[in-house]
């Protein structure tokens, strides 16, 4: 399907906070929006502490050896070649460290890989260079393109001065009209995956041509999209808002132009969106690329 019908369906309503996007001057992880993301970040922080202690200990040993056993301070070197207690210690201690790491990391790994029964199942297909989404149980699908991709550029956009993949004044206006900010350029898409908050979402991920990778850092999910295979991931979003990701597997010349947008909404908003999606996406051979979420206004 193509996203070329964007002009026919009106502007996208941006509801909720824009989350899961890079912020200027910030370092570290994005704020977690799922249990999986919290577990992964907690594991990373624990490993950082362990690695820091190991590096500090080894650096201190090296410094001590340099100071204590240099030629000036130790004119007569020792003649022994082995120290059994030390050799036992440097064998057992790393094993114990790995056991501790495994005790914390394996439960997180199993939680990721043991796919629960989902409330909603979505099939994700990576193409060169856009994403396709199919709400399997609901019987409709749509494609998702970078906002500024030729698939969603109209004659009016070009007449206003917009150019494919170029951030200029006309593209800024296009972003604002779609509910995004200038900072979301190259992250914003013409359609979004819309899911309800607090529900278990299971995604089957595959590729149509080469290997892609579907990733939302704030959800703690990343799954390669391999042609001929369907791998699964799951998440349960704990807060509403719009979350961003990008293809995370080098897949060709337009790899940088495969953003991912997921909008998490309340259940009643999702139900309203679903009714419109079934009607609009099922009624067209090419899926319209914008659906306005029902809101209080």
């Amino acid at each position: 399907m193509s996203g070329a019908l964007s002009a026919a369906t009106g502007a996208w309503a941006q509801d909720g906070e824009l989350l899961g996007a890079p912020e200027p001057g910030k370092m570290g992880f994005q704020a977690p929006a799922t249990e999986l993301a919290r577990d992964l970040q907690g594991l990373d922080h624990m490993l950082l502490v362990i690695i820091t202690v190991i590096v500090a200990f080894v650096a201190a040993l090296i410094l001590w050896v340099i100071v204590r056993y240099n030629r000036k301070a130790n004119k007569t070197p020792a003649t022994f070649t082995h120290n059994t207690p030390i050799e036992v210690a440097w064998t057992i201690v790393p094993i114990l460290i790995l056991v501790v790491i495994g005790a914390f990391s394996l439960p997180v790994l199993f939680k990721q890989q043991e796919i629960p029964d989902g409330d909603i199942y979505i099939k994700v297909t990576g193409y060169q260079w856009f994403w396709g989404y199919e709400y399997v149980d609901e019987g409709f699908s749509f494609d998702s393109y970078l906002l500024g991709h030729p698939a969603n550029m109209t004659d009016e956009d070009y007449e206003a001065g917009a150019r494919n993949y170029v951030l200029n004044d006309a593209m800024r206006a296009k972003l604002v009209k779609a509910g995004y900010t200038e900072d979301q350029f190259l992250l914003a898409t013409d359609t979004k995956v819309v899911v309800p908050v607090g529900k278990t979402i299971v995604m089957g991920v595959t590729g149509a041509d080469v290997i892609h990778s579907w990733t939302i850092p704030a959800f703690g999910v990343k799954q390669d999209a391999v042609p001929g295979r369907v791998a699964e991931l799951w998440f349960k979003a704990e807060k509403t808002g719009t979350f961003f990701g990008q293809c995370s597997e080098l897949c060709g010349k337009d790899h940088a132009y495969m953003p991912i947008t997921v909008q998490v909404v309340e259940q009643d908003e999702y139900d309203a969106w679903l009714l419109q999606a079934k009607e609009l996406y099922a009624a067209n051979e090419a899926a319209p690329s914008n659906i306005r979420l029902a809101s209080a206004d």
Side-chain angles (χ1 to χ4, degrees):
M1 295 182 186
S2 169
L5 296 179
S6 59
T9 55
W12 178 277
Q14 187 69 264
D15 290 344
E17 187 179 359
L18 290 171
L19 304 167
E23 297 182 39
K26 295 294 183 67
M27 296 179 64
F29 292 105
Q30 297 175 3
T34 66
E35 181 182 354
L36 287 178
R38 285 201 309 275
D39 289 346
L40 289 171
Q41 293 182 22
L43 179 62
D44 180 87
H45 295 155
M46 185 194 77
L47 294 177
L48 180 60
V49 171
I50 292 174
I51 292 171
T52 301
V53 171
I54 292 173
V55 170
F57 177 69
V58 172
L61 282 179
I62 293 174
L63 181 62
W64 181 68
V65 169
I66 291 173
V67 173
R68 175 65 181 81
Y69 295 104
N70 64 72
R71 180 176 295 179
K72 290 182 179 180
N74 190 47
K75 298 183 183 300
T76 305
T79 58
F80 68 87
T81 57
H82 296 280
N83 187 303
T84 301
I86 291 179
E87 292 177 3
V88 171
W90 73 39
T91 300
I92 292 179
V93 171
I95 292 175
L96 294 177
I97 293 174
L98 291 176
V99 169
V100 171
I101 292 174
F104 285 93
S105 63
L106 287 177
V108 176
L109 178 64
F110 283 118
K111 185 182 291 187
Q112 285 181 303
Q113 297 302 314
E114 292 178 347
I115 307 299
D117 293 332
D119 298 304
I120 297 171
Y121 188 90
I122 302 172
K123 182 181 178 183
V124 182
T125 305
Y127 299 92
Q128 290 180 310
W129 286 271
F130 62 96
W131 295 98
Y133 299 100
E134 179 183 355
Y135 283 65
V136 175
D137 296 329
E138 305 298 341
F140 68 87
S141 61
F142 57 88
D143 293 335
S144 185
Y145 291 87
L146 168 78
L147 203 65
H149 187 282
N152 52 57
M153 295 287 281
T154 65
D155 292 339
E156 289 78 7
D157 291 329
Y158 291 122
E159 290 171 1
R163 296 295 178 263
N164 303 336
Y165 312 123
V166 176
L167 181 61
N168 56 21
D169 289 341
M171 187 61 69
R172 290 185 181 93
K174 185 176 179 69
L175 287 166
V176 170
K177 183 178 179 181
Y180 296 100
T181 68
E182 177 180 335
D183 292 337
Q184 274 82 54
F185 181 61
L186 300 183
L187 291 173
T189 56
D190 57 359
T191 60
K192 304 174 186 177
V193 178
V194 179
V195 298
V197 66
K199 297 295 184 180
T200 300
I201 312 300
V202 176
M203 290 186 158
V205 183
T206 189
D209 32 53
V210 300
I211 299 177
H212 304 276
S213 187
W214 198 90
T215 310
I216 295 288
F219 292 170
V221 295
K222 179 180 184 295
Q223 180 61 60
D224 281 357
V226 181
R229 299 183 182 181
V230 178
E232 290 186 323
L233 63 85
W234 74 277
F235 62 87
K236 181 189 289 187
E238 299 172 343
K239 60 178 72 172
T240 60
T242 301
F243 299 85
F244 297 100
Q246 292 174 297
C247 178
S248 298
E249 187 72 48
L250 189 60
C251 58
K253 75 177 185 66
D254 283 353
H255 163 69
Y257 304 131
M258 284 187 66
I260 301 162
T261 310
V262 177
Q263 186 162 355
V264 182
V265 298
E266 298 293 346
Q267 183 65 50
D268 58 343
E269 293 180 284
Y270 175 74
D271 293 337
W273 175 85
L274 198 60
L275 290 175
Q276 297 178 63
K278 287 180 180 179
E279 178 181 352
L280 292 174
Y281 287 134
N284 297 282
E285 180 179 354
S289 58
N290 290 298
I291 291 181
R292 182 178 178 86
L293 281 170
S295 58
D297 58 356

